[in-house]
Amino acid sequence: MPGNTGQHHPDVDDQATEANVTTTSSHATRAQPSSWSISDVAKMSKVTSRTLRHYDQIGLLEPESTAPNGYRYYGQPQLHRLQRILL
């Protein structure tokens, strides 16, 4: 989408980067998980998990991985793609 570069979806970015906090010596550092469940992504982006499954079905946003039990997991590149889709 022309003109939308540089914008971000605050809920996805903020929650993705603030997902975990670990404490080391005298200060806290942020550690990002390597992937987020479909439920986590749905909550962060304010779309339904059904919408994310639909995006997968039509090839718009495929998960980073799918567990043997069928659970979908999304990595940082997928979160950035979702961000672009939602703009």
Side-chain angles (χ1 to χ4, degrees):
M1 290 181 203
N4 286 338
T5 57
Q7 294 181 358
H8 71 281
H9 194 279
D11 291 326
V12 173
D13 280 352
D14 295 344
Q15 290 181 23
T17 57
E18 296 176 2
N20 291 329
V21 175
T22 57
T23 305
T24 58
S25 59
S26 63
H27 67 282
T29 59
R30 299 194 188 281
Q32 291 186 6
S34 60
S35 62
W36 292 266
S37 71
I38 192 171
S39 175
D40 293 336
V41 174
K43 288 174 189 172
M44 285 189 284
S45 62
K46 294 187 171 76
V47 299
T48 64
S49 58
R50 177 67 190 110
T51 297
L52 294 171
R53 287 191 295 274
H54 175 70
Y55 289 169
D56 182 18
Q57 184 179 20
I58 65 172
L60 184 60
L61 180 68
E62 296 179 3
E64 178 178 65
S65 64
T66 303
N69 60 7
Y71 289 5
R72 292 168 171 86
Y73 292 94
Y74 298 84
Q76 194 71 39
Q78 289 76 28
L79 293 181
H80 287 151
R81 179 159 173 79
L82 178 59
Q83 181 180 9
R84 300 279 306 186
I85 292 166
L86 296 176
L87 289 178

